Amino acid sequence: MFKKNQTLGEFIIENQMSFKYSSGELSTLFNSIRLAAKVVNHEVNKAGLVDIIGNVGEVNIQGENQQKLDVYANEKFIQTLINRNIVCGIASEEEDDFIAINSLDENHQNKYIVLIDPLDGSSNIDVNVSVGTIFSIYRRVTPVGTPVTLEDFLQKGNQQVAAGYVVYGTSTMLVYTTGDGVNGFTLNPAIGSFYLSHPNMQFPESGSIYSVNEGNYIHFPQGIKNYIKYCQREEEDRPYTSRYIGSLVSDFHRNMIKGGIYLYPKSSLNSNGKLRLLYECNPMAFIAEQANGKASDGFTRILDIQPTELHQRVPFICGSKNMVTKAEEFMREAQ
Ligand code: P6P
């Protein structure tokens, strides 16, 4: 049910009942993400103007220099979620371990957990290229009222109840799914409201854009090399266009609108690829499948992978269904 110019708040309320876990908690959870996205957007948009750019001189568990905006975004999303008293646990790319959260109301125990990449593509911050936030929401699996455990966070991606991203680009958009399709909302910064601008987003079945860091070509498995050469050959609807921003959210968002494939495969440099399963690949895979796309590690559906570690990495191939299937064929043939 889509109404032109519907706000995100109106949309959440109107569609809450259709959500199989229909509860006000999820609406409140989305409202807190919406608020944090607006606060982070404000800082991202003026990053060049204040001394918030550059490293804080610390290194996160990924071994990456933490940019000030990374730290800021991480703190904002975590604090907003805690203040709203709606989650019992949070895991973040910027936090070594998960955060167990006790309910502020002893008569009400929270049942949702959130996994988040607060500012993906942060290496682009200093060069004014778009970045994003990615979030993934599950119901806990351990008994309500007890502290969450690692088991609550190591659920397969096919157990997600919701997932979404914020892309801080030429405009700021929040795109999410609760398992009933994908909808995109654009922020009107003048009044601070998100409006339904992209109802029922769908990956075109095929596309002509491939997104991969070709600088790593020499290190890729033979199947990926063969697929890249396939994309570049002059035959049928090819050569495809190469577009790689270095920001997963931005490359994914463009490919979902125009049709395309994003690849971050394993290589001799990264035996499991670079992207993290829990708070990058699973949420983006849930969105992709809800938008008629596909996501795998080249052989296995991303959402069926059983996680074993909080920050584990997996090879990631995601986008238009026919393009991902073709890449998988090259991977299998080269085995
Ligand atoms: P590379 C950003 O750090 C990120 O996680 C994704 O957003 C992006 O697609 C990828 O890594 C870029 O990695 O190795 O190509 O610079």
Side-chain angles (χ1 to χ4, degrees):
M1 167 81 116
F2 307 112
K3 291 175 182 161
K4 194 165 173 52
N5 291 336
Q6 190 171 32
T7 66
L8 175 56
E10 291 162 346
F11 184 88
I12 290 170
I13 291 167
E14 190 163 287
N15 291 278
Q16 168 180 305
M17 295 320 292
S18 68
F19 179 56
K20 59 185 173 187
Y21 300 102
S22 64
S23 76
E25 284 173 294
L26 197 77
S27 301
T28 307
L29 177 44
F30 271 114
N31 286 330
S32 64
I33 289 171
R34 174 176 56 156
L35 172 62
K38 286 193 277 192
V39 171
V40 170
N41 173 66
H42 182 67
E43 291 305 316
V44 167
N45 282 347
K46 66 177 187 179
L49 300 175
V50 296
D51 177 32
I52 200 164
I53 277 184
N55 296 343
V56 292
E58 295 164 23
V59 174
N60 65 17
I61 187 165
Q62 321 300 337
E64 296 162 346
N65 279 329
Q66 279 195 301
Q67 301 269 345
K68 282 183 180 178
L69 263 180
D70 266 345
V71 175
Y72 178 85
N74 187 51
E75 288 167 0
K76 280 302 162 200
F77 275 95
I78 290 174
Q79 205 48 54
T80 307
L81 287 166
I82 291 175
N83 291 349
R84 290 291 180 90
N85 189 34
I86 36 171
V87 296
C88 52
I90 301 173
S92 169
E93 184 199 23
E94 301 301 335
E95 301 288 335
D96 295 356
D97 202 352
F98 63 84
I99 302 166
I101 299 165
N102 298 317
S103 176
L104 301 177
D105 172 359
E106 62 187 26
N107 298 316
H108 175 79
Q109 296 300 331
N110 296 316
K111 55 179 176 287
Y112 291 113
I113 62 167
V114 177
L115 299 98
I116 194 162
D117 182 357
L119 209 61
D120 179 72
S122 54
S123 56
N124 290 312
I125 294 170
D126 288 352
V127 294
N128 204 18
V129 170
S130 55
V131 293
T133 296
I134 308 171
F135 61 89
S136 171
I137 301 171
Y138 292 83
R139 289 166 70 92
R140 66 179 300 174
V141 291
T142 54
V144 171
T146 62
V148 288
T149 69
L150 186 58
E151 183 188 357
D152 291 302
F153 294 91
L154 298 185
Q155 298 182 54
K156 288 183 180 180
N158 57 33
Q159 297 302 304
Q160 290 174 96
V161 296
Y165 61 82
V166 182
V167 52
Y168 309 99
T170 47
S171 61
T172 294
M173 280 192 69
L174 191 154
V175 176
Y176 79 92
T177 183
T178 56
D180 188 24
V182 177
N183 294 289
F185 299 81
T186 299
L187 179 66
N188 177 340
I191 49 178
S193 293
F194 283 97
Y195 287 90
L196 179 62
S197 53
H198 296 66
N200 191 29
M201 298 183 81
Q202 296 269 303
F203 268 98
E205 292 269 335
S206 297
S208 57
I209 297 172
Y210 71 102
S211 306
V212 64
N213 183 341
E214 295 191 56
N216 296 327
Y217 178 87
I218 192 68
H219 304 295
F220 285 152
Q222 192 55 50
I224 293 290
K225 288 179 177 175
N226 296 345
Y227 177 66
I228 291 173
K229 287 304 172 199
Y230 167 86
C231 293
Q232 296 170 342
R233 261 199 300 278
E234 190 158 24
E235 58 190 25
E236 296 169 346
D237 58 342
R238 284 163 285 127
Y240 294 150
T241 296
S242 174
R243 286 284 183 278
Y244 190 70
I245 297 176
S247 170
L248 167 62
V249 168
S250 305
D251 281 317
F252 179 99
H253 187 75
R254 180 205 53 247
N255 290 349
M256 181 158 65
I257 292 170
K258 292 181 178 282
I261 184 171
Y262 171 97
L263 307 100
Y264 208 105
K266 72 177 185 180
S267 72
S268 52
L269 300 175
N270 298 307
S271 57
N272 288 311
K274 174 183 181 184
L275 301 185
R276 276 69 62 166
L277 174 60
L278 292 188
Y279 39 79
E280 289 177 321
C281 301
N282 271 337
M284 300 310 273
F286 186 25
I287 297 165
E289 290 195 2
Q290 284 291 313
N292 188 41
K294 190 174 182 182
S296 78
D297 64 2
F299 302 96
T300 305
R301 180 184 180 231
I302 289 290
L303 297 183
D304 291 339
I305 295 174
Q306 175 57 58
T308 54
E309 293 168 26
L310 204 54
H311 299 286
Q312 80 182 77
R313 301 172 192 267
V314 291
F316 189 56
I317 300 176
C318 178
S320 294
K321 198 174 285 185
N322 296 344
M323 299 181 85
V324 174
T325 300
K326 177 59 78 175
E328 290 170 338
E329 285 171 13
F330 278 95
M331 293 290 285
R332 275 193 297 276
E333 284 163 14
Q335 271 203 314

